Amino acid sequence: SKCFGPDLRFFLPFLDVTDSYSMTGDVEYTGARVSVHGLDLHGGPVHVKGSVDVTGLDGQTPLYLDVLLQDSRAAYADVQRRMRFLYLPQLPFLGTTYVKHLHMKGRPTDSLMFDIDGSDEVGEIRGAMTLHLNTAPMAYSLHADVRRGNLTPFSSEFSQCNLNGRVDIEGQG
């Protein structure tokens, strides 16, 4: 069925979502929790399949997200534009991302942890990432295997390449 993003704010006031979407799935809403299983969502270039479990909606406990995506695709710039409540940073090097598997869990007021297996114009990645959202500037860590890494989307100073290896990064900013 079709839904219009701003209409979702009636049920979930913290959501600042634009545009319309088509979604099927089994949804359970209790006031404190919303769960969606068998999610199949379409919106523009986005096609997301998986499950979502959000607790703490009533404010009695901190908001907690548990999202599992499989066989999905999304254009980062479009997700950033549509899902304004996520406060996603500008990442112009990301195009359309294909996700074989992504499991995100955590508290947006603290940290989000990701297990990911996916690909984009910059290459393929399989590993774990954490965003520490409660620090200024934001801290992060990434521990992953990379295949067919292409650095040209990051800067025109790089020539076309095909990097394979392991990435272990921890930092802030």
Side-chain angles (χ1 to χ4, degrees):
S1 64
K2 278 268 194 212
C3 66
F4 187 57
D7 291 344
L8 293 173
R9 291 187 87 162
F10 179 79
F11 297 103
L12 304 168
F14 70 90
L15 287 182
D16 186 5
V17 179
T18 64
D19 295 342
S20 62
Y21 303 84
S22 170
M23 182 183 102
T24 59
D26 298 320
V27 179
E28 181 182 337
Y29 176 71
T30 65
R33 179 183 197 164
V34 64
S35 295
V36 182
H37 297 281
L39 173 68
D40 192 354
L41 178 113
H42 296 264
V46 173
H47 182 205
V48 174
K49 297 190 292 186
S51 64
V52 176
D53 191 27
V54 181
T55 59
L57 295 174
D58 61 357
Q60 297 298 315
T61 60
L63 190 66
Y64 186 84
L65 307 174
D66 189 343
V67 178
L68 177 63
L69 304 180
Q70 297 170 315
D71 302 319
S72 301
R73 73 175 182 280
Y76 182 85
D78 190 64
V79 171
Q80 181 188 37
R81 182 184 64 79
R82 289 172 177 264
M83 305 290 173
R84 296 184 294 207
F85 72 98
L86 293 175
Y87 307 106
L88 296 170
Q90 294 286 333
L91 299 175
F93 54 86
L94 288 180
T96 298
T97 300
Y98 299 92
V99 175
K100 292 180 192 174
H101 172 89
L102 179 132
H103 189 190
M104 178 195 73
K105 57 187 174 180
R107 300 190 189 290
T109 56
D110 184 29
S111 298
L112 296 175
M113 285 123 335
F114 300 81
D115 288 318
I116 187 164
D117 182 356
S119 62
D120 199 299
E121 182 182 350
V122 295
E124 298 175 15
I125 189 166
R126 180 182 292 165
M129 178 176 72
T130 302
L131 300 177
H132 301 279
L133 305 170
N134 60 348
T135 63
M138 176 184 74
Y140 54 87
S141 64
L142 172 66
H143 305 283
D145 294 317
V146 175
R147 290 177 27 126
R148 295 193 257 301
N150 177 12
L151 299 178
T152 57
F154 294 101
S155 172
S156 59
E157 294 183 22
F158 293 113
S159 52
Q160 185 70 30
C161 59
N162 188 9
L163 298 174
N164 298 295
R166 176 95 182 148
V167 175
D168 291 298
I169 300 173
E170 294 190 14
Q172 283 188 297

